[in-house]
Amino acid sequence: MNKTLETLYSHVSVRSFEGTILSAETKDQLLRAAQSGSSSNFVQAYSLLDITDPGLRETLADITNSAAYVKESGAFYIFVADLYRQAVMLEKAGKPLDGIRTMESLMVAIVDATIAAQSFAVAAESMGLGICFIGGIRNDIRTVAKQLNLPKFTVPLLGLTVGTPLAKNGVKPRLPKKNVYVENTYDKKTMTDLHDYDAIMRTYYSERDSNAADTDFTQKMTEFFSVIRRKEVGEFLKEQGFRLE
Ligand SMILES: Cc1cc2nc3c(=O)[nH]c(=O)nc-3n(C[C@H](O)[C@H](O)[C@H](O)COP(=O)(O)O)c2cc1C
């Protein structure tokens, strides 16, 4: 197996870090990896905020529900889906912003930011560092945007902790091939036949070292999606200038 596959296959989210701060050189290498990703129409619609101010980091960490490891990792970043640069260009050219406000443009920015974030994460893991994405910044997306001084046409999408791992969990079993992969057209029956995976996950959850539980994938997903979460995100996107249509 080559080293890239080894890195990808051994991914686990890390939630326990040594306090060692990342060097400027490491940070630059990771940024370059993030910027090397593909970008829809080369819009490069994202920005990366490196949260080095301890007070700001503490405030953001308290919003995430993942405060302990957000505070102690070697670095904490926010990936922002960002069409503000394009908005400024259009404004300077005296053009309307309708092409930026669309759901399609928002999707472009979210995909670009996500590709950059995953490239950054894999590069960090290839160096032996550990990472954990922090969607918890969207628990209070308005306060996060305010704290970060974010302009219109930007969305604080993800946090990312990066650092030297103190402890690592075992790799989590993924959905079997038959549930996620099909040749040509979608197959409703096999994609949703989760009997085997539920058995695998029931064993995994009951035997894992931390947070052991008597549950399975179907039960977890049913509980998770029975609740409407972060309802204000849609409203926030509209406030940021997106029409969601
Ligand atoms: C977009 C995104 C947001 C996430 N947000 C959080 C978070 O706020 N807190 C956390 O502890 N883990 C978070 N995670 C990590 C997931 O829980 C984790 O990836 C998943 O359980 C699979 O485990 P693994 O990464 O160890 O394979 C997030 C992952 C992604 C992709």
Side-chain angles (χ1 to χ4, degrees):
M1 200 190 313
N2 72 40
K3 282 212 155 22
T4 305
L5 289 178
E6 237 171 72
T7 300
L8 290 168
Y9 294 173
S10 56
H11 160 76
V12 289
S13 292
V14 170
R15 297 186 176 85
S16 169
F17 295 95
E18 282 177 17
T20 325
I21 306 291
L22 265 60
S23 70
E25 190 193 2
T26 299
K27 286 183 168 186
D28 281 348
Q29 286 172 333
L30 295 175
L31 174 61
R32 187 169 167 197
Q35 289 195 273
S36 300
S38 298
S39 165
S40 175
N41 280 293
F42 204 42
V43 292
Q44 304 179 76
Y46 59 89
S47 294
L48 183 53
L49 277 53
D50 180 1
I51 309 301
T52 58
D53 178 305
L56 177 58
R57 178 147 158 183
E58 186 132 345
T59 303
L60 296 174
D62 288 338
I63 290 171
T64 63
N65 277 344
S66 307
Y69 36 101
V70 171
K71 285 178 190 172
E72 75 190 11
S73 62
F76 181 57
Y77 294 92
I78 306 281
F79 282 85
V80 178
D82 184 358
L83 285 159
Y84 179 66
R85 274 183 291 271
Q86 281 76 7
V88 170
M89 291 174 208
L90 286 171
E91 266 168 358
K92 278 189 184 157
K95 304 260 186 204
L97 301 182
D98 297 356
I100 288 185
R101 295 185 192 282
T102 63
M103 190 69 217
E104 167 63 13
S105 292
L106 177 58
M107 277 172 64
V108 163
I110 289 173
V111 171
D112 265 19
T114 306
I115 288 173
Q118 177 66 1
S119 298
F120 191 104
V122 172
E125 289 177 332
S126 79
M127 297 173 179
L129 296 167
I131 64 100
C132 187
F133 284 108
I134 305 293
I137 61 158
R138 299 194 307 274
N139 288 341
D140 187 352
I141 197 164
R142 284 194 182 97
T143 301
V144 168
K146 213 167 171 188
Q147 287 286 330
L148 300 176
N149 208 16
L150 292 184
K152 283 211 159 201
F153 304 107
T154 62
V155 181
L157 192 62
L158 305 163
L160 186 69
T161 58
V162 188
T164 308
L166 253 190
K168 267 188 167 184
N169 296 323
V171 170
K172 249 181 175 172
R174 265 39 185 184
L175 283 160
K177 180 177 176 182
K178 67 171 181 186
N179 295 134
V180 294
Y181 172 88
V182 67
E183 285 190 31
N184 302 313
T185 59
Y186 196 87
D187 181 337
K188 286 195 252 182
K189 194 164 179 298
T190 57
M191 294 300 197
T192 56
D193 174 13
L194 297 170
H195 186 264
D196 294 349
Y197 189 52
D198 277 335
I200 291 168
M201 289 311 282
R202 184 165 290 281
T203 305
Y204 166 80
Y205 284 126
S206 66
E207 290 179 354
R208 73 177 178 181
D209 293 339
S210 59
N211 296 329
D214 180 20
T215 188
D216 61 22
F217 186 68
T218 295
Q219 194 177 328
K220 277 224 157 211
M221 293 300 103
T222 307
E223 283 162 10
F224 186 80
F225 287 106
S226 295
V227 176
I228 297 174
R229 289 165 204 276
R230 300 175 183 156
K231 212 175 160 191
E232 65 288 355
V233 167
E235 283 307 310
F236 170 79
L237 293 175
K238 286 183 195 157
E239 288 158 21
Q240 289 301 88
F242 296 104
R243 291 205 177 110
L244 309 188
E245 56 192 40

